[in-house]
Amino acid sequence: MARKVLVLGEVRDGALRNVSFEAVAAAKKAAEGGEVVGVLIGDSIQSLGNSLIKYGADRVVAVEDEKLKQYTSDGFTQAFMAVVESEKPEGIFLGHTALGKDLSPRIASKLNSGLVSDVTDIEESGGNLVFVRPIYSGKAFEKKIVTDGLIFATIRPNNITPLEKDESRSGEVTSLSAEIKDLRTVIKEVVRKASEGVDLSEAKVIIAGGRGVKSADGFNPLNELAQVLGGAVGASRGACDADYCDYSLQIGQTGKVVTPDLYIACGISGAIQHLAGMSNSKVIVAINKDPEANIFKVADYGIVGDLFEVVPMLTEEFKKL
Ligand code: FAD
């Protein structure tokens, strides 16, 4: 059945996040030959519309307002609902990001709709769209079919491959005016923590350190390897609790959930709460002194050894490539 599907293009620092293109690819599947309409919300963001189109959206609707410069639950809900009311979609896709996790249930409740969250794949079976999502901290997957009403889903970053960029694609980018009023939250200022390099939740390569790094300086060899591989550095809660690094790097059940192409765990034992955040990585390499460490159970490649010897060796080898 051909459907009209809306996809939110998520903007950060003036650029579209990768998950937006992944959501377009997912929406394309769900549209089943229908129309994929990109949605942009913000201030001066209309120019990003063409990128969404080149990655597969048919056209884009932009809601621009000074009050939408920063994300607020109220403001974005009002803007998105204005698009929904004007477009009357049969499907809605957002990234399963901090923004998507906040916005999607609000929209779903306003539309009295269900929501399939944290989708990692979409299959087709017997004429139905089947949404695959991890449950029990990634230990199992469940498959869901939407039998009635709106198809509304959030897409976990780094799981669905975006469509190839097609420079020849063109489509309309139109603006929609929406009354953004009675905001209960107004962002006065955003104070960023100094963070360098690649965004952890979208990184293709992650080098993660655990308590085995032994100190804040112990992260230095991991930073060097990450730099050579163009990756990001993450951490176990053990390393964060020990004050070796900031909690913004924590991966796991109470930290970030990541799905990079390559995850290198250095000095991490592999507690179940850590595995919950990384076990769906495509290739896992574990470096640990203890051959019995639990992390080896989920690793594709295991190196039993001292991370302070192994990591610099890897860095040197990768530099040669
Ligand atoms: P450890 O378990 O101490 O492991 C350190 C490892 O380093 C060991 O395996 C050791 O053999 C190895 N090692 C030591 N020196 C070297 C060396 N020189 N070279 C190589 N290897 C070396 N944890 C998370 O990570 N993320 C979460 O989100 C999270 N949420 C939690 C939520 C709850 C409710 C609870 C109760 C716990 C949570 N935890 C979480 C904590 C989790 O249970 C573990 O305590 C934590 O993951 C352990 O961190 P670690 O592997 O770095 O440390």
Side-chain angles (χ1 to χ4, degrees), residues 4-12 15-28 35-43 45 48-49 51-53 55-64 68 70-73 75-84 87 89 91-107 115 151-157 176 202:
K4 183 196 277 193
V5 183
L6 297 186
V7 182
L8 180 71
E10 197 176 319
V11 182
R12 183 192 275 177
L16 282 162
R17 298 189 65 181
N18 259 345
V19 69
S20 313
F21 307 127
E22 295 162 5
V24 168
K28 207 83 183 164
E35 194 183 27
V36 173
V37 182
V39 179
L40 288 171
I41 299 175
D43 185 26
I45 33 79
L48 299 170
S51 293
L52 280 178
I53 290 167
Y55 277 97
D58 296 300
R59 62 187 171 87
V60 170
V61 177
V63 183
E64 293 184 297
L68 299 169
Q70 305 288 351
Y71 176 78
T72 59
S73 311
F76 270 54
T77 302
Q78 290 176 27
F80 202 93
M81 284 304 296
V83 182
V84 170
E87 293 290 337
I92 299 178
F93 281 69
L94 275 74
H96 194 71
T97 57
L99 186 157
K101 283 187 260 185
D102 186 66
L103 184 61
S104 54
R106 288 168 200 277
I107 306 287
L115 170 66
I151 294 189
F152 194 169
T154 59
I155 305 297
R156 184 185 280 202
L176 181 80
E202 291 201 336

Side-chain angles (χ1 to χ4, degrees), residues 209-214 235-241 244 250-256 263 265-277 287-295 303-310:
R211 221 175 336 236
V213 303
K214 296 194 175 68
S236 70
R237 177 154 152 192
C240 301
D241 284 345
Y244 301 161
Q250 185 184 320
I251 290 165
Q253 188 181 318
T254 44
K256 294 197 166 87
Y263 189 92
C266 312
I268 293 177
S269 59
I272 188 75
Q273 296 90 351
H274 186 75
L275 302 189
I287 305 166
N288 198 302
K289 281 205 301 202
D290 175 7
E292 301 296 324
N294 200 46
I295 191 80
I303 303 172
V304 178
D306 186 335
L307 72 93
F308 294 105
E309 290 170 18
V310 177

Side-chain angles (χ1 to χ4, degrees), residues 201-258:
S201 55
E202 291 201 336
K204 298 281 178 208
V205 176
I206 292 177
I207 319 296
R211 221 175 336 236
V213 303
K214 296 194 175 68
S215 67
D217 286 345
F219 267 96
N220 290 343
L222 278 61
N223 287 326
E224 279 167 39
L225 180 55
Q227 212 163 11
V228 170
L229 292 177
V233 171
S236 70
R237 177 154 152 192
C240 301
D241 284 345
D243 215 11
Y244 301 161
C245 62
D246 192 85
Y247 278 102
S248 60
L249 300 190
Q250 185 184 320
I251 290 165
Q253 188 181 318
T254 44
K256 294 197 166 87
V257 176
V258 296

Side-chain angles (χ1 to χ4, degrees), residues 109-185:
S109 85
K110 290 213 176 287
L111 295 173
N112 207 13
S113 155
L115 170 66
V116 191
S117 67
D118 204 11
V119 171
T120 54
D121 199 10
I122 302 175
E123 299 168 353
E124 280 172 59
S125 169
N128 287 313
L129 285 175
V130 181
F131 294 87
V132 183
R133 62 189 298 274
I135 52 169
Y136 301 124
S137 301
K139 286 206 279 307
F141 287 87
E142 69 174 2
K143 295 186 171 185
K144 285 197 178 264
I145 294 169
V146 179
T147 52
D148 195 16
L150 190 71
I151 294 189
F152 194 169
T154 59
I155 305 297
R156 184 185 280 202
N158 266 348
N159 279 269
I160 291 174
T161 313
L163 303 173
E164 205 135 302
K165 189 174 184 185
D166 180 352
E167 294 290 352
S168 68
R169 279 181 65 85
S170 61
E172 259 191 339
V173 182
T174 51
S175 67
L176 181 80
S177 65
E179 199 188 351
I180 309 299
K181 55 175 188 191
D182 305 329
L183 295 186
R184 280 172 289 185
T185 315

